[in-house]
Each structure stands twice: as structure tokens, then as C-alpha cells.
């Protein structure tokens, strides 16, 4: 790592590393408050993606450079001046959810943002050194989330809910409760926006739910219900996250019930899935279709694939053939 001095300020450079799959963010930053636009959020995620948390010096700021070619994948040259100027003025607010108006701290995010300085081909972020102790506190209280997934969201609400859900899943919690006031603050919904609960659900929670459900890779499914008081003046919502495994189990039960009702229809459906989604040789295809155990195993594996349980498997056909014992293991590598 190189130390770069700028007057009295010191910055620790984090060299650009392409193709990092995951972002890591201390939980305190996940539940903090920074009013980003969607484009600004994407740029911030690029900044987060390049942080090497193990080398942070709490007395120094961070210097992160993003190739302009990457930046131009989602922002035009005409936009970049206004967007980076706005980001340079952003502050991150840390607060206690139980008393958000009594205890809080505002910290400017960046001391400097430059674009193509000296024709270097980079968008360069210099973070405020006061932020470094928070970034360095990764420890065990951190949230891990997929970098590409978070770039794909259209709504800033989806981005914030995705990270919030990942925070809870990282602590093995699939159920959690927030008051409406807390949730609005965490999702950064303005106080005068959607004051009615039905409007809040219709314009924020339901669109978020739909977008997270349709994400690539491992989609996130969640439900929410009134918690405690079920009268008109509801104050809290309880969220339940359905994991990929739970969804797979539910789909498998649906499959078993469908077989009992209409086995011929299910057989045709399985045959269609095999033909459309996989590259089996004809003899393998017929072996699966003619053997109930192989057919049921195939259906289970297909359901698990559809629910994102095996994101690292590149060749689904070879993987299934290996699991069914129809080829040797080395063939699937």
C-alpha cells in the first residue's frame, strides 16, 4: 500500500482490483443515513468494492481510484460533474435507532473527488479520515452482499432494503421487527412522503419486494405483516425472509402434490424442462424420464438451481449427471 500525503491530510491508497464479487460494509454503515440518488449509490458501491478493510489506518483517509471506463458503464460524461459534485457534499449520519433525534453524528464522506486529474483515466475518491475508524471496525459485525446485484437495482429503496436484509441474514436472523418510524428512516423515506401506511407499502415496500424477488443469482423473498397492534394505527411491521432452501422445499412439496393430482401432466412438464434447459444426451434424458428415483432427484436439483442454491455451478447439465450417478465425477469438472 502506498501512503499519499496532501498537506496535513494523509491517505492510504487501495489499488484498483477488478472483478471483486462481494462488498463488505460494517453494520453501523448499513444502518447509517446518507441521502444518495441511485446513480450516487452506484458510485459509492464502487468505492466500497475497492476497500481493503484489513489495511485501513484509522488516522488516514482512503484513496480509491475507479477506471473511468467502468464509471461510463452506467453514467454519462454529461452527468458525472453534477453527480460527483453532489457526492462531495454528502455526509453520513450515525444514530441510535432507539433515540435517533437525541444522539447522532454527521461525518462528511469525502474530502476530495477528482475526475481524470492530469489525464490519469480514473475517478478518484479521497475519503474523510474521520470515517476510517468506522470502516476499520469490520470485525464480526459486518454485512456481506453481492456487488453486481446491488448495481442492478433501479430503486434506492431496494438497495437499502437489500443491505438491511443481508445484515440480518448474516446474523442468521430470518425474522425481524421494525417500527414504521425506524423503517422509514432506514429506507430514507422523507418525513412528508407517503405518510399513510397503505401508501408507504404500495409505493415503497411492495415495489422493493418485487424487485428483490426478481434479482439474478440468489433472489430474496420476504413477507411482512402487522406486528402486535392490528388496529388502524399499526406502529410496527415484522419481516420474514424466505431463504433459497425454504423456497426449494416449498416448491418440492408443490411438485409432489402435482404428481398425485396429474402424473401425466407433470411427466410432460419435466420432459419439457429437460429439453429446454439442459443439454443431456438422448440416452441420459430417457434414463431420467423412465426412472422415478432419477426423475425425482432431477426435479429436486432443478428446483434448487431455480432458487439459486448453487450459484457457483457453471455447467448445470454435468453437475446433475454427476449427482444422479450417470457420469463419473471428473466429467463434470
Amino acid at each position: 500500500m502506498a501512503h499519499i500525503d496532501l498537506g496535513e491530510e494523509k491517505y492510504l491508497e487501495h489499488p484498483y482490483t477488478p472483478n471483486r464479487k462481494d462488498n463488505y460494509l460494517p453494520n453501523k454503515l448499513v444502518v447509517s443515513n446518507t441521502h444518495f440518488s441511485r446513480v450516487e449509490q452506484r458510485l459509492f458501491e464502487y468505492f466500497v468494492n475497492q476497500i481493503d478493510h484489513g489495511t485501513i489506518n484509522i488516522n488516514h483517509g482512503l484513496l480509491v481510484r475507479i477506471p473511468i471506463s467502468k464509471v461510463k458503464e452506467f453514467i454519462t460524461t454529461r452527468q458525472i460533474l453534477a453527480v460527483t459534485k453532489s457526492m462531495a457534499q454528502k455526509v453520513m449520519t450515525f444514530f441510535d435507532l432507539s433515540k435517533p433525534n437525541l444522539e447522532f453524528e454527521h461525518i462528511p464522506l469525502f474530502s476530495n473527488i477528482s475526475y481524470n486529474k492530469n489525464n490519469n483515466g480514473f475517478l478518484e475518491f479521497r475519503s474523510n479520515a474521520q470515517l476510517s475508524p468506522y470502516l476499520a471496525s469490520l470485525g464480526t459485525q459486518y454485512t456481506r452482499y453481492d456487488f453486481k446485484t446491488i448495481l442492478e437495482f433501479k430503486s434506492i429503496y431496494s438497495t437499502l432494503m437489500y443491505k438491511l436484509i443481508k445484515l440480518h441474514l448474516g446474523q442468521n436472523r430470518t425474522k425481524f421487527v421494525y417500527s414504521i418510524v425506524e423503517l422509514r428512516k432506514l429506507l430514507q423515506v422523507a418525513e412528508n412522503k407517503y405518510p399513510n401506511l397503505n401508501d408507504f407499502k404500495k409505493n415503497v415496500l411492495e415495489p422493493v419486494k418485487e424487485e428483490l424477488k426478481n434479482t439474478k443469482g440468489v433472489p430474496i423473498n420476504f413477507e411482512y405483516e402487522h406486528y402486535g397492534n392490528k388496529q388502524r394505527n399499526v406502529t410496527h411491521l415484522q419481516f420474514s425472509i424466505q431463504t433459497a432452501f425454504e423456497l426449494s422445499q416449498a416448491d418440492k412439496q408443490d411438485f409432489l402434490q402435482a404428481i398425485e393430482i396429474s402424473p401425466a401432466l407433470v411427466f410432460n412438464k419435466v420432459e419439457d424442462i429437460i429439453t429446454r434447459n439442459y443439454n443431456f444426451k438422448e440416452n441420459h434424458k430417457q434414463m431420467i424420464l423412465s426412472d422415478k428415483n432419477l426423475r425425482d432427484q432431477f426435479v429436486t436439483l432443478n428446483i434448487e438451481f431455480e432458487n439459486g442454491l448453487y450459484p457457483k455451478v457453471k455447467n448445470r447439465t454435468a453437475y446433475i449427471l454427476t449427482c444422479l450417478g450417470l457420469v463419473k465425477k471428473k466429467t463434470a469438472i
Side-chain angles (χ1 to χ4, degrees):
M1 295 289 180
H3 287 84
I4 298 179
D5 295 342
L6 183 64
E8 295 182 357
E9 304 241 19
K10 294 184 178 181
Y11 298 91
L12 183 64
E13 182 180 358
H14 292 232
Y16 178 72
T17 304
N19 303 318
R20 279 184 165 167
K21 182 182 182 301
D22 295 318
N23 277 13
Y24 295 83
L25 205 59
N27 290 350
K28 284 188 177 180
L29 272 73
V30 174
V31 298
S32 63
N33 194 296
T34 306
H35 288 281
F36 285 129
S37 68
R38 187 66 193 99
V39 175
E40 291 169 353
Q41 181 71 48
R42 287 193 178 103
L43 280 181
F44 178 71
E45 296 300 340
Y46 264 99
F47 166 76
V48 171
N49 187 250
Q50 292 303 309
I51 297 175
D52 185 349
H53 291 274
T55 61
I56 294 175
N57 185 319
I58 62 173
N59 298 312
H60 296 174
L62 281 59
L63 191 152
V64 169
R65 294 188 177 100
I66 311 297
I68 289 175
S69 59
K70 285 291 181 184
V71 174
K72 286 185 176 180
E73 290 179 3
F74 64 90
I75 185 171
T76 66
T77 305
R78 290 173 56 187
Q79 290 177 303
I80 195 68
L81 177 62
V83 169
T84 53
K85 182 178 181 180
S86 175
M87 287 189 73
Q89 300 169 8
K90 297 293 183 182
V91 298
M92 184 164 281
T93 301
F94 297 91
F95 54 85
D96 185 334
L97 274 177
S98 64
K99 41 188 174 182
N101 297 321
L102 297 178
E103 293 182 13
F104 52 86
E105 181 180 15
H106 302 301
I107 297 180
L109 279 174
F110 302 106
S111 56
N112 178 270
I113 301 176
S114 61
Y115 180 84
N116 204 27
K117 189 174 182 180
N118 298 322
N119 202 33
N120 66 2
F122 289 93
L123 174 62
E124 188 175 285
F125 294 93
R126 283 185 167 90
S127 70
N128 182 355
Q130 294 180 63
L131 193 65
S132 293
Y134 288 96
L135 292 171
S137 67
L138 198 63
T140 57
Q141 298 297 311
Y142 67 89
T143 298
R144 173 184 176 181
Y145 52 95
D146 186 77
F147 176 53
K148 287 186 178 179
T149 296
I150 207 158
L151 293 181
E152 292 173 353
F153 291 128
K154 297 178 181 179
S155 166
I156 190 68
Y157 301 140
S158 298
T159 301
L160 296 170
M161 179 61 86
Y162 172 72
K163 292 201 283 190
L164 190 61
I165 287 174
K166 283 291 187 177
L167 183 155
H168 287 281
L169 286 177
Q171 298 182 357
N172 297 316
R173 287 196 298 263
T174 57
K175 291 184 183 295
F176 52 90
V177 177
Y178 283 111
S179 71
I180 304 298
V181 173
E182 290 172 339
L183 194 59
R184 289 176 63 90
K185 194 168 188 67
L186 289 169
L187 298 182
Q188 300 179 15
V189 180
E191 290 185 9
N192 60 347
K193 198 170 186 179
Y194 313 130
N196 181 279
L197 177 58
N198 287 334
D199 290 339
F200 176 63
K201 292 195 292 188
K202 177 183 176 181
N203 294 285
V204 178
L205 295 181
E206 285 301 314
V208 165
K209 182 179 175 183
E210 192 66 23
E211 190 167 16
L212 266 61
K213 185 175 67 176
N214 291 318
T215 55
K216 297 177 183 177
V218 183
I220 290 179
N221 292 266
F222 70 87
E223 301 291 339
Y224 58 90
E225 60 183 345
H226 300 161
Y227 180 78
N229 187 352
K230 294 188 179 293
Q231 303 304 313
R232 177 177 290 180
N233 56 337
V234 171
T235 59
H236 291 71
L237 294 177
Q238 175 172 284
F239 289 79
S240 301
I241 308 167
Q242 295 174 289
T243 65
F245 176 77
E246 291 170 334
L247 289 170
S248 296
Q249 292 297 101
D251 287 345
K252 187 175 180 180
Q253 288 301 314
D254 290 343
F255 167 72
L256 294 174
Q257 290 177 8
I259 287 180
E260 292 182 5
I261 297 171
S262 179
L265 185 62
V266 172
F267 181 90
N268 291 335
K269 178 66 175 178
V270 172
E271 184 177 22
D272 180 60
I273 292 172
I274 289 176
T275 303
R276 187 161 33 88
N277 297 345
Y278 296 92
N279 297 312
F280 294 124
K281 293 180 180 178
E282 186 61 28
N283 65 316
H284 288 146
K285 174 182 173 180
Q286 293 306 320
M287 289 172 70
I288 294 170
L289 289 172
S290 61
D291 187 302
K292 180 181 182 303
N293 288 333
L294 291 178
R295 189 168 64 245
D296 289 353
Q297 288 180 60
F298 165 78
V299 169
T300 297
L301 288 167
N302 179 69
I303 288 172
E304 290 173 348
F305 274 130
E306 293 301 310
N307 284 299
L309 273 180
Y310 308 112
K312 293 184 179 180
V313 173
K314 295 181 180 179
N315 189 332
R316 294 185 176 186
T317 298
Y319 183 86
I320 286 181
L321 288 173
T322 302
C323 291
L324 299 185
L326 298 180
V327 296
K328 293 181 180 180
K329 188 173 183 179
K330 62 179 183 180
T331 309
I333 296 177

